[in-house]
Amino acid sequence: MIDITLPDGSIRQYPEGTSSMDIARSISEGLARKVLAARVNGQVLDAARPINQSANLQLLTWNDTDGKNTFWHSSAHLMAEAVESIFPGVKFWVGPPVENGFYYDMDLGDRKMNEEDLAILEKKMNELAKQNNVYVRKEISKNDAINYFTEKGDEYKLDLLSGLTDGEISFYTQGSFTDLCRGPHIPSTGLIKAIKLTSVAGAYWKGDEKNKMLTRVYGVTFPSQKELDEHLAMLEEAKKRDHRKLGKELGIFTMDDDVGPGLVLWMPNGTIVIEELEKLAKESENAAGYKRVVTPHIAKENLYITSGHLPYYEDSMYPPMELEGQKYYLKAMNCPHHHKIFAAEPRSYKDLPLRLAEYGTCYRYEQSGELFGLMRVRCLHMNDAHIYCTKDQFYEEFRAVNEMYLKYFKIFGVDKYVMRLSLHSPEKLGQKYVNEPELWKETEALVRDVLIRTKTPFVEVQDEAAFYGPKIDVQIWSAIGREFTLATNQVDFAQGRRFKLEYTTADNKGETPLIIHRAPLGTHERFIGFLLEHYAGKFPLWLAPMQVKVLPISDKFLPYARSVADKLKKADIRCEVDDRNEKIGKKIRDTEMMKVPLMLVVGEKEMNEDKVAVRRQGKGDQGTRPVDELIAELVYEIKERKETEA
RNA sequence: GCCACUUUAGCUCAGCUGGUAGAGCAACUGAUUUGUAAUCAGUAGGUCGUUGGUUCGAUUCCGACAAGUGGCUCCA
């Protein structure tokens, strides 16, 4: 007999070789029906695998991440079976679970798959699922596996096998489909009740663009139709929050074919948001000892040769224009310009740290396939600054920058973010990264030290650094689950030397400063894109393009409405009177849809008492208030940049 | 840049197998003077993304290009 310890700490005894599924059944039939896999001593295994010694056991269902992943991975096998029946001779690469479903990469040879095929595949998958075929595991020797796939002519699985060692290789078969797979899998295909294949896309083999492009099919499955319906409804909801849709509806920005892809035209409403963000940034940068600078949009080729950007960045810069025998580039970054400002005057250690900030417009020739609404554009406003400091000052400066990030996150209510310490890859020194192994080690340690000493949670990733030094990227998630890099905070040990930047030390020697590149708000484009989704277009009062709309009950109260609006304007509140000849219900509806935070309804009663009937966006009638009292409250709410109303 | 898909009025979308387009909302005009999420009526608005081809005839079929969307690669 063996002892099985369950998650609640209880211990049960079973004969040796009992499977997780047997144990589930011994607890209850209902549980057994839901079991997808099991975690045995920390390892996720098929529920059918026998347990040969005493162990900790957790039965995994749809409610466990690992259960869900097993379900989706098994669904990928089911899809592969369907694909094989419709595209005989197809070769498969890998089919992992992902955040919302699964995919399988495949080589279809000369054939192509389009969206119509997805419907056919879906139908086939449903048929196969109904057969309720069992996923059967078989351990196999490496030689036998190689022979099997050599005979099949499957170079992809042979490639996978080359990385595996004999004794750990297994095949899984369900119905007519057999795949090289480490598992685990769910008990049988019948558990998959609802199937939706979402898209077909190309994906480079092993993620390398030099390799062949495989066909990738994405799908998602559920244990019931109800859950699939809910998932689809959630996607519909997410669409409503999409910044591209909201940006259009709220008159934030537009793009135009004649202007060019990735080039944003900021409309008046969007420009107000930009100006409010800049106001915030200027306030906090002034308080933190930054100085503002302004630099041109173009520079001679030589500047980028000196900075070292050209060999790394040329492909993502707009091609140069030639004037008077000189090549000029549109700037893709502000740093070289700022370095020249540093170099323009002799600097002493007493001048450091020197913090130069600019809302410069940069131009990056992003690949056409990368462009994406406001999140990825070709003309971007960076919330940029460069801090020149000594090694001794580094800790404090880097810490202060981090603090600024956190302050902004608090204002905007960003609570989900990850600081990602991005390091270089030693094998790419001299190609992707400047060849200074010692300096890399030193600065990476400096940055890590700041994060550890300030107790900032972070993850480390290799091969994500800038060419001139390590960085911290801040990953955030928009309300509809889109992940992207918002801010970046980079250390640069390379450009200072390349530009021969120097300051005079206390003992009268020349020393190269360390440089911190930082952009806590990232770019206006990406940040406003994020905010639109974050707030679902309902900006807090201080950011809202239109803060207050005054709604007269009828034309008779227009003069009073205008006098209220004038008072608001005098208090620097952005407001407008809805002077259309419409009923009050219509005015309210339209103003609600434009997501204006406050509506002031004025009619006979309000006019006689010098009051307004206040209505908050999405919250309905808030009662009647004296005008001056309300204005004082709004001014305070705006000044404090309150996220929601007091 | 690569793979797949999409492109019809300002917006959201109809338009069966080829016979030069239609709705709702928005806009404009008029009536209505309105009390907390759509008052009524009328008018105007489109060389059906661009460009080649097939055809007696193309919004519809085929090709190229452009832009957009979902991915891959890249990235703030």
Side-chain angles (χ1 to χ4, degrees):
Chain A
M1 295 299 270
I2 54 172
D3 290 339
I4 297 297
T5 310
L6 297 171
D8 65 0
S10 64
I11 297 171
R12 287 165 172 249
Q13 289 201 322
Y14 292 93
E16 202 180 307
T18 303
S19 74
S20 306
M21 187 52 88
D22 294 334
I23 294 169
R25 250 183 236 115
S26 78
I27 297 170
S28 92
E29 271 301 325
L31 176 63
R33 274 198 297 275
K34 286 195 290 183
V35 167
L36 301 174
R39 188 182 289 116
V40 181
N41 286 336
Q43 207 187 349
V44 182
L45 298 172
D46 300 325
R49 287 280 281 274
I51 303 174
N52 294 322
Q53 46 195 297
S54 294
N56 290 311
L57 173 71
Q58 185 191 358
L59 297 165
L60 298 171
T61 68
W62 178 252
N63 294 324
D64 303 288
T65 306
D66 284 322
K68 216 173 257 187
N69 283 341
T70 304
F71 189 87
W72 281 334
H73 175 57
S74 300
S75 302
H77 277 231
L78 181 68
M79 180 173 83
E81 186 182 0
V83 171
E84 203 170 50
S85 76
I86 290 162
F87 295 86
V90 57
K91 294 171 191 170
F92 294 101
W93 173 233
V94 291
V98 289
E99 191 158 345
N100 270 311
F102 59 88
Y103 67 78
Y104 217 125
D105 281 349
M106 55 194 85
D107 182 350
L108 295 169
D110 296 333
R111 285 162 301 177
K112 293 198 165 180
M113 193 184 286
N114 59 31
E115 281 173 9
E116 282 162 36
D117 295 319
L118 293 188
I120 298 168
L121 284 172
E122 238 173 74
K123 205 173 146 221
K124 187 75 193 173
M125 282 174 77
N126 277 309
E127 277 169 34
L128 294 169
K130 282 210 183 76
Q131 290 174 11
N132 198 20
N133 293 316
V134 175
Y135 288 88
V136 181
R137 177 190 167 86
K138 184 182 160 201
E139 281 174 23
I140 188 162
S141 74
K142 185 162 180 173
N143 260 339
D144 288 352
I146 289 173
N147 287 339
Y148 177 85
F149 286 113
T150 306
E151 207 166 295
K152 255 186 128 181
D154 189 334
E155 64 269 33
Y156 298 101
K157 294 296 174 185
L158 287 171
D159 186 88
L160 276 182
L161 274 170
S162 70
L164 300 177
T165 48
D166 208 1
E168 62 175 21
I169 296 166
S170 57
F171 279 10
Y172 275 84
T173 302
Q174 97 274 2
S176 62
F177 179 71
T178 296
D179 201 359
L180 169 70
C181 183
R182 132 171 16 97
H185 282 280
I186 60 175
S188 65
T189 60
L191 293 162
I192 302 168
K193 302 281 192 206
I195 299 165
K196 178 78 192 164
L197 297 184
T198 46
S199 68
V200 52
Y204 298 108
W205 184 43
K206 294 186 179 180
D208 188 333
E209 62 181 328
K210 288 188 216 66
N211 286 340
K212 184 171 181 180
M213 180 158 273
L214 303 177
T215 302
R216 173 175 297 181
V217 182
Y218 282 90
V220 64
T221 51
F222 293 91
S224 76
Q225 183 64 34
K226 183 168 159 268
E227 279 157 302
L228 172 60
D229 291 343
E230 280 167 8
H231 176 74
L232 296 176
M234 202 187 71
L235 293 181
E236 282 304 307
E237 276 308 302
K239 266 192 204 161
K240 291 184 195 160
R241 278 183 102 117
D242 191 301
H243 75 276
R244 292 163 298 189
K245 185 172 159 66
L246 287 167
K248 178 173 246 171
E249 285 168 2
L250 304 179
I252 302 291
F253 74 99
T254 187
M255 305 219 201
D256 187 281
D257 281 3
D258 288 335
V259 178
L263 301 174
V264 178
L265 300 171
W266 289 99
M267 298 167 87
N269 285 345
T271 306
I272 288 170
V273 179
I274 287 180
E275 285 174 351
E276 287 296 338
L277 289 177
E278 290 195 6
K279 210 159 95 191
L280 169 65
K282 281 176 188 170
E283 276 173 28
S284 47
E285 283 165 11
N286 286 344
Y290 286 71
K291 291 171 176 158
R292 292 218 147 235
V293 294
V294 175
T295 65
H297 288 194
I298 58 172
K300 287 199 257 183
E301 178 184 33
N302 200 40
L303 185 70
Y304 301 108
I305 291 173
T306 305
S307 72
H309 279 99
L310 224 40
Y312 297 97
Y313 263 91
E314 191 171 16
D315 285 348
S316 46
M317 289 174 81
Y318 274 89
M321 53 193 123
E322 270 198 66
L323 297 162
E324 298 159 338
Q326 286 283 347
K327 279 188 187 168
Y328 284 82
Y329 281 90
L330 269 170
K331 72 172 166 187
M333 62 292 295
N334 298 308
C335 35
H337 294 77
H338 291 183
H339 300 339
K340 285 298 187 184
I341 290 177
F342 182 95
E345 292 173 2
R347 305 289 178 180
S348 136
Y349 72 97
K350 295 176 184 169
D351 299 326
L352 303 188
L354 180 69
R355 311 179 188 90
L356 301 179
E358 175 174 18
Y359 261 129
T361 315
C362 295
Y363 296 85
R364 297 184 183 174
Y365 186 69
E366 301 288 353
Q367 296 183 48
S368 58
E370 312 307 330
L371 300 176
F372 171 65
L374 286 178
M375 300 303 192
R376 198 70 182 277
V377 295
R378 285 182 174 164
C379 168
L380 39 106
H381 294 72
M382 291 230 284
N383 166 226
D384 208 4
H386 296 93
I387 301 172
Y388 303 83
C389 65
T390 68
K391 237 178 241 176
D392 291 343
Q393 291 165 336
F394 179 81
Y395 171 78
E396 180 50 30
E397 288 306 306
F398 209 80
R399 189 200 60 75
V401 168
N402 249 331
E403 200 167 80
M404 193 179 279
Y405 284 31
L406 298 176
K407 182 191 147 191
Y408 287 147
F409 287 174
K410 203 166 168 214
I411 291 174
F412 294 105
V414 176
D415 39 25
K416 193 182 177 197
Y417 59 87
V418 169
M419 301 265 180
R420 190 177 70 183
L421 172 55
S422 302
L423 309 171
H424 77 298
S425 271
E427 64 273 19
K428 291 187 187 165
L429 283 170
Q431 303 152 44
K432 193 172 166 186
Y433 305 111
V434 291
N435 196 3
E436 298 277 3
E438 286 311 307
L439 282 169
W440 277 105
K441 249 189 239 169
E442 192 182 329
T443 48
E444 286 177 356
L446 277 175
V447 176
R448 192 182 292 111
D449 178 55
V450 177
L451 291 169
I452 291 169
R453 280 168 69 188
T454 55
K455 299 190 169 56
T456 309
F458 68 100
V459 294
E460 285 193 25
V461 287
Q462 296 291 323
D463 201 20
E464 291 283 343
F467 76 86
Y468 45 67
K471 58 178 179 172
I472 295 174
D473 289 323
V474 185
Q475 302 299 114
I476 61 173
W477 286 263
S478 81
I480 57 179
R482 220 168 249 152
E483 176 191 359
F484 48 90
T485 303
L486 172 73
T488 179
N489 188 6
Q490 314 176 341
V491 194
D492 178 355
F493 54 77
Q495 287 194 59
R497 287 208 285 185
R498 298 189 64 100
F499 276 95
K500 299 193 169 57
L501 302 185
E502 277 196 353
Y503 64 92
T504 308
T505 61
D507 49 2
N508 201 25
K509 287 192 185 116
E511 186 78 47
T512 305
L514 266 179
I515 303 168
I516 298 171
H517 303 236
R518 45 110 278 177
L521 296 176
T523 66
H524 287 341
E525 285 73 15
R526 189 169 282 185
F527 196 65
I528 293 175
F530 163 76
L531 287 180
L532 277 166
E533 297 184 1
H534 180 65
Y535 291 128
K538 298 167 194 166
F539 287 112
L541 189 63
W542 70 277
L543 262 181
M546 182 60 64
Q547 294 172 312
V548 178
K549 200 107 178 184
V550 185
L551 312 179
I553 296 288
S554 81
D555 286 1
K556 277 192 276 183
F557 312 107
L558 257 177
Y560 178 63
R562 294 207 168 103
S563 77
V564 170
D566 283 343
K567 279 190 183 175
L568 288 158
K569 282 179 192 158
K570 277 207 184 99
D572 260 336
I573 294 168
R574 296 182 285 273
C575 76
E576 216 170 60
V577 175
D578 188 341
D579 56 6
R580 294 174 307 164
N581 183 2
E582 292 288 353
K583 292 172 82 165
I584 192 66
K586 169 77 167 166
K587 290 180 185 176
I588 287 169
R589 179 182 157 80
D590 289 349
T591 313
E592 286 277 351
M593 303 241 286
M594 285 307 286
K595 302 179 177 18
V596 176
L598 275 145
M599 283 152 266
L600 306 181
V601 178
V602 295
E604 184 85 44
K605 250 186 318 182
E606 291 76 15
M607 185 171 70
N608 292 337
E609 296 173 10
D610 204 21
K611 286 186 174 172
V612 290
V614 181
R615 199 189 152 95
R616 286 267 179 184
Q617 204 274 335
K619 296 197 170 62
D621 198 346
Q622 307 280 299
T624 313
R625 300 280 302 277
V627 181
D628 294 331
E629 191 184 301
L630 178 74
I631 288 177
E633 187 183 301
L634 296 183
V635 167
Y636 178 76
E637 187 176 329
I638 291 165
K639 183 171 163 278
E640 295 295 312
R641 298 196 170 94
K642 290 195 182 288
E643 213 198 332
T644 51
E645 86 281 16

